[in-house]
Amino acid sequence: EGFFDRTSAALGDTATLFVRSVHSYRVEAYRMGYYNGLGARLITSTKWLPASSQSSPTIDTALGTVSCSHWRPSWRFEIDESFPPGCYLFKLVTKRGWIQWIPLTVRDTTSSATYLVVNSVTTWQAYNEWGGWSLYAGLNGRANVVSFDRPYELGLGQSNFLFNELPVVYDMERLGLDVTYWTDIDLHQRGSELVRNRAMFSLGHDEYWSWQMREAAIGAQDVGVNLAFLGANFCSRQTRREPSALGPDRIMVNYRSTSDPIFATDPKLTTVNWSDYPVDRPESQFSGSIYSGFEGLTDTWDFVVEDADSWLWKDTDVKNGTRLHDLARNEYNHFDSSSPLASRVEILGHSPVPTGGWSDATYVTVPSGGGVFSSGTSTWVYSMQASTRIPPSVMRRAVPGVTNVVLKAMENLYDLFGAGPAAHVSPSRPNWSKFY
């Protein structure tokens, strides 16, 4: 298992890999994408590297911080032109056949591509229990501060990339779209560059946002950049970034209460939910959509189509009330009538949740011209999986009557958001009063 000293790298950067392995191993670098349905292309592989023992992680039990920043480097390489920009999984392979994955995004610092896809690494890290602590679990309840200087435990090291993100990467590259890639950390560090793109795509689960990330997204929206949130629970919890021994922004802080020490000096940066005191900036302020809650892991419900003559449902043959069977599950968002954008919101899906309430797919355009789409469900991306060549354990087969509709809706979304400020092409048609 292992980790990189960065979440993304650009041409000319040197990436350092830290590995712990009781056997010799090699590293295979795969660029993820469509590739005629295979889902990836092998870019390079190393010779066999020696077994690498590493010391135990350091653990700050007061904060729940697990760090391996003191591990010895195992492999360094320069990002050169043999590494096209994109989403990578580096595969650790032993002679006994055991594998682990390590994600890395290669970004293009000069790109003004039409579409920007943002890998949700902060949310991956929030749920990462490697070493016994995450922002959800730990010896004393949960961590308040987590580090990127450690492997990911989930998914043999790839966290949630394969299920929450690869289907979008696969689909956009299948269609040959003009796309480039960042991580959340890039949005935090260089968010002013977002205005180079016409649309930003947030993927299946993008819960943890810093103040800088949000300001960058809103600033871009204000000048006509479109924002697509394909998962529920986006921009729900505020975080802060701090440096580690390996570099800037490798530490993520999230107290979820005013016990956060910064509350006394700069309360707007307190790491509570965005909708809570003293921040009081719910995500609906710029989207019209707000987080509702969480159903059971196995509970599903039908996505119910509304406004079937809208741009989203063009050429899908759906009608108002069409049910996309079991498309929705887990976390969900709904229309927020208290949002300053509420009077402009168009509801494109209005689905009853088994325990009560509604899951809404929403669309709104702002006066500057930027549009915001929210799927309202955490499994919209999951429903896009349609491979016939990737093993079903990695990407499931298409679901009849569901996957084809969602993929066509995504093509419509790409078309609209790629054309420039959405309000200039297809302004939202408020219909929320039909439902609320």
Side-chain angles (χ1 to χ4, degrees):
E1 58 190 352
F3 64 95
F4 280 107
D5 65 341
R6 60 196 66 217
T7 59
S8 72
L11 184 68
D13 287 346
T14 296
T16 301
L17 182 62
F18 301 84
V19 173
R20 178 169 70 176
S21 177
V22 297
H23 299 289
S24 60
Y25 64 95
R26 70 173 186 269
V27 184
E28 300 173 353
Y30 290 88
R31 186 186 183 278
M32 311 304 290
Y34 176 61
Y35 295 113
N36 199 30
L38 292 174
R41 177 165 72 93
L42 179 64
I43 300 298
T44 190
S45 60
T46 68
K47 63 182 181 181
W48 288 102
L49 302 173
S52 178
S53 61
Q54 301 281 9
S55 56
S56 298
T58 60
I59 302 178
D60 182 337
T61 55
L63 296 175
T65 311
V66 179
S67 174
C68 302
S69 61
H70 57 288
W71 279 11
R72 298 184 311 277
S74 304
W75 181 52
R76 287 190 175 96
F77 68 102
E78 182 179 345
I79 303 294
D80 58 25
E81 293 179 353
S82 67
F83 288 87
C87 302
Y88 284 75
L89 288 180
F90 286 72
K91 183 180 180 182
L92 305 181
V93 186
T94 72
K95 291 181 178 179
R96 296 189 175 192
W98 181 255
I99 67 169
Q100 284 283 110
W101 299 102
I102 304 174
L104 181 71
T105 301
V106 175
R107 67 180 188 278
D108 183 350
T109 59
T110 64
S111 176
S112 56
T114 301
Y115 307 98
L116 173 66
V117 167
V118 181
N119 300 129
S120 305
V121 297
T122 54
T123 301
W124 300 354
Q125 195 57 251
Y127 286 84
N128 182 17
E129 294 187 14
W130 193 94
W133 294 81
S134 73
L135 292 181
Y136 292 85
L139 296 178
N140 300 322
R142 54 175 294 275
N144 292 322
V145 180
V146 292
S147 173
F148 281 87
D149 298 342
R150 57 177 178 157
Y152 290 111
E153 182 174 277
L154 187 64
L156 293 179
Q158 55 82 26
S159 191
N160 265 320
F161 172 78
L162 290 177
F163 304 108
N164 273 336
E165 309 203 355
L166 177 59
V168 180
V169 175
Y170 180 96
D171 188 51
M172 296 181 87
E173 297 202 351
R174 175 183 67 88
L175 295 170
L177 301 183
D178 180 26
V179 59
T180 194
Y181 300 94
W182 279 4
T183 70
D184 286 332
I185 304 298
D186 297 305
L187 183 59
H188 173 86
Q189 293 177 340
R190 50 186 56 85
S192 61
E193 299 172 16
L194 179 55
V195 295
R196 297 178 181 175
N197 312 108
R198 292 185 177 182
M200 185 193 86
F201 278 74
S202 161
L203 304 175
H205 195 182
D206 197 7
E207 181 177 353
Y208 288 82
W209 278 43
S210 68
W211 184 276
Q212 291 88 338
M213 289 171 62
R214 179 164 170 153
E215 289 298 286
I218 293 175
Q221 177 190 27
D222 286 344
V223 296
V225 176
N226 304 308
L227 307 176
F229 295 96
L230 303 182
N233 194 213
F234 60 86
C235 190
S236 180
R237 302 188 194 274
Q238 179 168 216
T239 65
R240 291 199 315 280
R241 311 290 156 72
E242 296 176 352
S244 78
L246 296 183
D249 301 318
R250 299 283 296 172
I251 299 293
M252 184 166 68
V253 180
N254 180 247
Y255 279 81
R256 300 189 194 174
S257 76
T258 53
S259 63
D260 185 345
I262 208 168
F263 172 68
T265 57
D266 196 352
K268 75 176 187 296
L269 297 181
T270 306
T271 55
V272 292
N273 293 344
W274 279 98
S275 57
D276 292 346
Y277 171 83
V279 180
D280 299 320
R281 297 180 72 197
E283 64 273 22
S284 59
Q285 288 185 353
F286 68 89
S287 69
S289 175
I290 194 165
Y291 179 54
S292 301
F294 176 82
E295 294 289 291
L297 286 172
T298 60
D299 292 342
T300 64
W301 60 94
D302 294 349
F303 182 106
V304 181
V305 171
E306 295 294 346
D307 207 9
D309 63 347
S310 76
W311 58 268
L312 182 68
W313 305 119
K314 179 182 177 183
D315 296 329
T316 62
D317 295 327
V318 300
K319 299 177 174 60
N320 287 342
T322 294
R323 289 178 171 266
L324 303 181
H325 184 60
D326 282 351
L327 187 156
R329 68 181 69 182
N330 297 344
E331 296 184 295
Y332 58 100
N333 277 39
H334 69 273
F335 163 75
D336 183 6
S337 61
S338 67
S339 164
L341 299 179
S343 64
R344 294 197 291 271
V345 170
E346 182 175 0
I347 293 179
L348 302 173
H350 186 61
S351 311
V353 178
T355 56
W358 300 90
S359 170
D360 293 322
T362 58
Y363 170 62
V364 64
T365 52
V366 299
S368 61
V372 183
F373 170 77
S374 168
S375 74
T377 175
S378 64
T379 45
W380 180 271
V381 171
Y382 182 70
S383 72
M384 293 172 61
Q385 299 185 91
S387 171
T388 58
R389 303 185 71 183
I390 299 173
S393 60
V394 176
M395 186 177 285
R396 68 174 181 171
R397 304 298 183 243
V399 177
V402 175
T403 304
N404 62 317
V405 173
V406 175
L407 290 178
K408 183 57 186 176
M410 286 299 297
E411 288 189 39
N412 296 334
L413 179 61
Y414 303 143
D415 287 346
L416 175 59
F417 276 20
H424 299 172
V425 183
S426 184
S428 56
R429 306 178 302 183
N431 67 346
W432 58 271
S433 60
K434 175 182 175 182
F435 309 99
Y436 292 92

